Amino acid sequence: MSAMLSVERLTRRYGPGCDRCLASTGPAHGTNSCPHCGTVVACADVSFDVEDGEVLGIVGESGSGKSTVAACLAFDQPPTSGQAFLEGFDGDMLSADAAARRRLRNTRIGIVYQTPQQGLALDVTTGGNVGERLLAADWRHVGRIRARASDLLERTEIPIARIDEEPRAFSGGMRQRVQLAKALASRPSLLILDEPTTGLDVSVQARILDLIQGIQREAGVAMVVISHDLGVIRLLTERTLVMKLGRVVEEGLTDQVLEDPQDAYTQLLVNSAL
Amino acid sequence: MNVRTLLDTPVPEPGPAYNYAFLDEGTKREIRRAVLKAVAIPGHQVPFGSREMPLGRGWGTGGLQLSLSLLGEGECFKAIDQGADDSVNAVNMRRLVAAMTDAEPVTDTRAATLVQSRHRIPEERLRPDQTLVLQVPAPEPLSWIEPRYAQTQRMHAERDYSPMWLYLYESIARHGEIAVGANYPVIVDGHYLMSPTPIPRWDVPKLDRAPFLTLLGAGREKRIYAVPPHTSVVPLEFEDYRFQVERFAQPCARCGATDAYLDEVLDPRSGETVCFTCSDTAHCELRRTEAQR
Ligand SMILES: Nc1ncnc2c1ncn2[C@@H]1O[C@H](COP(=O)(O)OP(=O)(O)OP(=O)(O)O)[C@@H](O)[C@H]1O
Ligand SMILES: [Mg+2]
Ligand SMILES: [Zn+2]
């Protein structure tokens, strides 16, 4: 079985960069900032596969590079080096031309950002936010766009009567659910969830996690779930990567990683979560 | 040199104060080159070094520079402002062109070889031997949604027009219709999104596969673009929310036309509608004289 997504040695630096950036950063050096040139190595040599229908978790402390991986896969940030292959797309998607990347982004990859402001235009109606991806995929029938948006809003438990309201007026939990509806609009092959529940009340969190599980069962999409909440990772994912200072320090089945962590850092993470 | 000797120095004989057609030959050549490029890439905005003209920017300097760089001997020049030949702006434009070129000023659309217009396309169907020059206040249709130049350039290059579609969707969600009156966005030749200038929707279909050449000039924004003859010009529309031209409840009160774009005439005191009359005054005039015969 071939992977839905295959990421190879993804690296993203912020700064001028020098020959010694990679050799001077990472867990062994206790920093992600190059002592020679000051460049931040946000992520380096990150490789992983996600099978169709599989949910992969990425955990790690704040600043470990999780969102950077997501941003590169959603084409929000160009990688410094590395490749990514999406099933059905010929060649490395990260180096595809701009129009091809935009098409992939609009049709095959859905993302829910850490903050709703990143993923939603708060002054555009809820229906417009969800419908934007359909418009980008050349839907030209307002009635059908609204019908599809209504289905998705119903699925994500947003009252359909609010389809023409701006998400500006919505609570944080509702905004995250609108982001989910938007990400699902074009039936993506890959869904990236970057801290989908951070900053929400526990009861609101639980509803969103239920929703994500339900969507995963029905749609069977490949998912990458990013969180520093081990409870979320335990609940949603089968396999997990642990990141520290931009590098992957451990990976394996989620149960094993959380029950019997091999890496000292992961042990620390697991213990501090208890 | 003192003031006396200065005053006594003979003034040189006045030569021809201006070059033919006001602009110097280099400028005219540059504008024609921009026109050729614009014709080769329909709907694409071509930058040009817009010159200072003897009228204020925003008063049709782009259109005027196009006309002046094209008009030669044997040409007939018509200028209209919102359909009228006799508005101050159109009259001044005609006078300037008459003073500076060999072109003959005319008001009959049929007699013109070049029609320069602000905000209208004549009702008379233009022929292949005629050229339409439209004055452009704002050439970038994407400026409604994206103020950054680098971004609009990228969007045109990638044909990333979904934000414009979203704008139209939002208009429908909020107002129940596409609330765009004049300056309706169109796709030219299946590629570039183009602003047709603030012509009414009524005039937009006249551009689609038209037999004549349309040149559009923005003086302030320093852009020239073109719709060559027989080029498709398609307004953005949804399958269930179609582009529609304006409808008028009454015929023209002067000539009785039911197939022309009409202006509302208001009572200056009460502000109430008195009647509707043709916006294209030459066309209205022609119909009336034909009716008398
Ligand atoms: N645009 C940027 N310019 C410079 N440095 C950046 C930029 N974006 C991220 N970084 C740096 O890259 C590193 C990784 O950041 P990233 O946001 O990927 O971490 P994260 O694991 O998602 O953290 P969090 O859990 O707080 O969301 C951090 O050191 C961050 O400061
Ligand atoms: Mg993050
Ligand atoms: Zn360095």
Side-chain angles (χ1 to χ4, degrees):
Chain A
M1 181 167 147
S2 78
M4 177 57 77
L5 174 72
S6 188
V7 178
E8 289 178 12
R9 309 197 64 175
L10 183 66
T11 301
R12 168 70 197 181
R13 297 189 302 209
Y14 290 101
C18 74
D19 295 346
R20 293 182 281 181
C21 285
L22 293 192
S24 320
T25 55
H29 303 272
T31 179
N32 68 355
S33 165
C34 175
H36 307 290
C37 71
T39 293
V40 173
V41 180
C43 69
D45 284 337
V46 174
S47 301
F48 59 86
D49 285 358
V50 193
E51 306 295 327
D52 193 9
E54 187 187 26
V55 187
L56 177 81
I58 303 182
V59 285
E61 66 189 352
S62 190
S64 58
K66 306 180 298 291
S67 293
T68 303
V69 171
C72 290
L73 295 178
F75 306 112
D76 293 333
Q77 292 285 346
T80 308
S81 62
Q83 298 182 312
F85 302 87
L86 190 67
E87 198 209 63
F89 185 78
D90 202 15
D92 168 30
M93 70 171 191
L94 300 179
S95 58
D97 67 62
R101 289 202 306 266
R102 191 162 45 78
R103 208 159 39 245
L104 280 176
R105 174 73 174 74
N106 282 323
T107 57
R108 301 213 40 212
I109 300 173
I111 180 164
V112 172
Y113 291 94
Q114 200 162 348
T115 57
Q117 299 88 281
Q118 285 175 275
L120 300 178
L122 295 182
D123 55 353
V124 166
T125 63
T126 298
N129 266 294
V130 176
E132 191 182 1
R133 284 170 69 88
L134 302 173
L135 291 166
D138 294 331
W139 286 43
R140 295 290 177 262
H141 191 287
V142 173
R144 283 201 277 277
I145 290 168
R146 289 173 73 79
R148 172 97 181 118
S150 300
D151 285 350
L152 288 159
L153 293 177
E154 189 173 20
R155 186 68 196 84
T156 52
E157 299 167 21
I158 305 280
I160 292 169
R162 308 191 72 168
I163 187 168
D164 293 329
E165 279 179 42
E166 297 173 4
R168 189 196 302 285
F170 292 179
S171 69
M174 277 176 82
R175 289 181 187 178
Q176 284 307 64
R177 281 179 282 141
V178 175
Q179 274 212 82
L180 252 183
K182 175 178 183 170
L184 292 170
S186 55
R187 302 183 203 281
S189 320
L190 172 68
L191 187 59
I192 302 167
L193 306 173
D194 188 2
E195 313 260 3
T197 58
T198 302
L200 303 176
D201 289 346
V202 177
S203 60
V204 179
Q205 280 193 27
R207 267 174 78 193
I208 292 190
L209 293 174
D210 277 352
L211 188 58
I212 293 169
Q213 280 188 301
I215 287 163
Q216 206 278 325
R217 273 195 303 273
E218 290 161 33
V221 296
M223 282 198 206
V224 175
V225 178
I226 293 168
S227 184
H228 55 226
D229 183 335
L230 295 182
V232 171
I233 293 295
R234 199 190 302 273
L235 183 71
L236 295 179
T237 72
E238 293 144 46
R239 248 168 4 101
T240 295
L241 302 186
V242 183
M243 286 186 72
K244 182 185 184 187
L245 295 169
R247 314 297 162 106
V248 175
V249 292
E250 185 163 357
E251 80 172 285
L253 295 175
T254 301
D255 289 344
Q256 278 172 19
V257 169
L258 297 186
E259 294 310 321
D260 183 22
Q262 299 302 302
D263 188 87
Y265 171 71
T266 317
Q267 288 167 8
L268 205 67
L269 267 186
V270 172
N271 292 336
S272 60
L274 288 175
Chain B
M1 200 186 268
N2 62 29
V3 174
R4 169 118 327 262
T5 47
L6 237 174
L7 289 173
D8 288 345
T9 312
V11 178
E13 276 298 300
Y18 294 103
N19 193 37
Y20 179 83
F22 186 78
L23 300 168
D24 63 86
E25 295 306 313
T27 297
K28 281 186 276 186
R29 217 169 295 137
E30 185 204 331
I31 292 173
R32 286 185 212 123
R33 265 202 301 272
V35 165
L36 286 177
K37 187 169 176 186
V39 167
I41 317 170
H44 173 64
Q45 300 162 45
V46 180
F48 80 109
S50 184
R51 297 301 191 275
E52 286 298 334
M53 299 301 288
L55 66 160
R57 295 222 160 141
W59 293 90
T61 54
L64 183 62
Q65 288 176 80
L66 278 171
S67 297
L68 289 174
S69 66
L70 297 173
L71 284 169
E73 210 181 321
E75 305 255 3
C76 297
F77 178 72
K78 173 182 165 88
I80 46 174
D81 187 341
Q82 300 204 322
D85 296 88
D86 57 358
S87 81
V88 176
N89 207 12
V91 170
N92 283 341
M93 210 63 94
R94 226 166 28 241
R95 274 203 201 128
L96 183 74
V97 166
M100 290 288 160
T101 73
D102 294 336
E104 187 192 330
V106 294
T107 55
D108 185 344
T109 304
R110 297 167 304 177
T113 57
L114 190 150
V115 179
Q116 183 181 324
S117 169
R118 173 173 170 268
H119 301 4
R120 273 312 311 274
I121 297 177
E123 301 292 0
E124 205 78 50
R125 270 182 68 93
L126 296 180
R127 300 180 307 264
D129 60 317
Q130 296 176 299
T131 299
L132 174 66
V133 168
L134 287 172
Q135 299 170 198
V136 181
E140 182 50 75
L142 294 170
S143 65
W144 293 358
I145 47 172
E146 176 54 69
R148 291 166 296 180
Y149 175 68
Q151 277 298 317
T152 57
Q153 288 295 97
R154 182 196 62 72
M155 290 165 76
H156 283 301
E158 296 176 17
R159 289 189 62 204
D160 177 13
Y161 297 138
S162 52
M164 196 67 183
W165 286 102
L166 180 60
Y167 178 90
L168 300 182
Y169 171 89
E170 286 289 290
S171 177
I172 292 166
R174 290 164 195 265
H175 312 294
E177 60 175 354
I178 296 178
V180 178
N183 214 344
Y184 198 98
V186 293
I187 295 278
V188 178
D189 201 23
H191 189 121
Y192 284 107
L193 185 72
M194 186 188 88
S195 157
T197 81
I199 54 174
R201 282 169 297 164
W202 180 270
D203 286 341
V204 171
K206 293 176 185 166
L207 289 170
D208 185 34
R209 301 187 187 280
F212 56 90
L213 168 66
T214 303
L215 298 174
L216 305 97
R220 192 177 38 203
E221 310 274 341
K222 304 183 171 141
R223 291 287 183 280
I224 285 171
Y225 51 104
V227 179
H230 310 293
T231 304
S232 72
V233 173
V234 180
L236 298 189
E237 62 179 356
F238 288 100
E239 287 161 39
D240 49 347
Y241 285 83
R242 291 286 178 188
F243 166 82
Q244 279 176 334
V245 299
E246 296 84 353
R247 285 181 217 281
F248 306 97
Q250 306 163 20
C252 170
R254 286 212 200 96
C255 75
T258 53
D259 58 353
Y261 183 76
L262 305 181
D263 287 332
E264 202 173 352
V265 180
L266 300 175
D267 184 296
R269 261 162 301 171
S270 68
E272 274 168 41
T273 306
V274 179
C275 62
F276 289 86
T277 59
C278 280
S279 133
D280 184 338
T281 52
H283 182 70
C284 191
E285 184 70 40
L286 185 71
R287 280 179 57 98
R288 274 181 293 161
T289 45
E290 274 177 358
Q292 275 169 12
R293 259 194 265 122

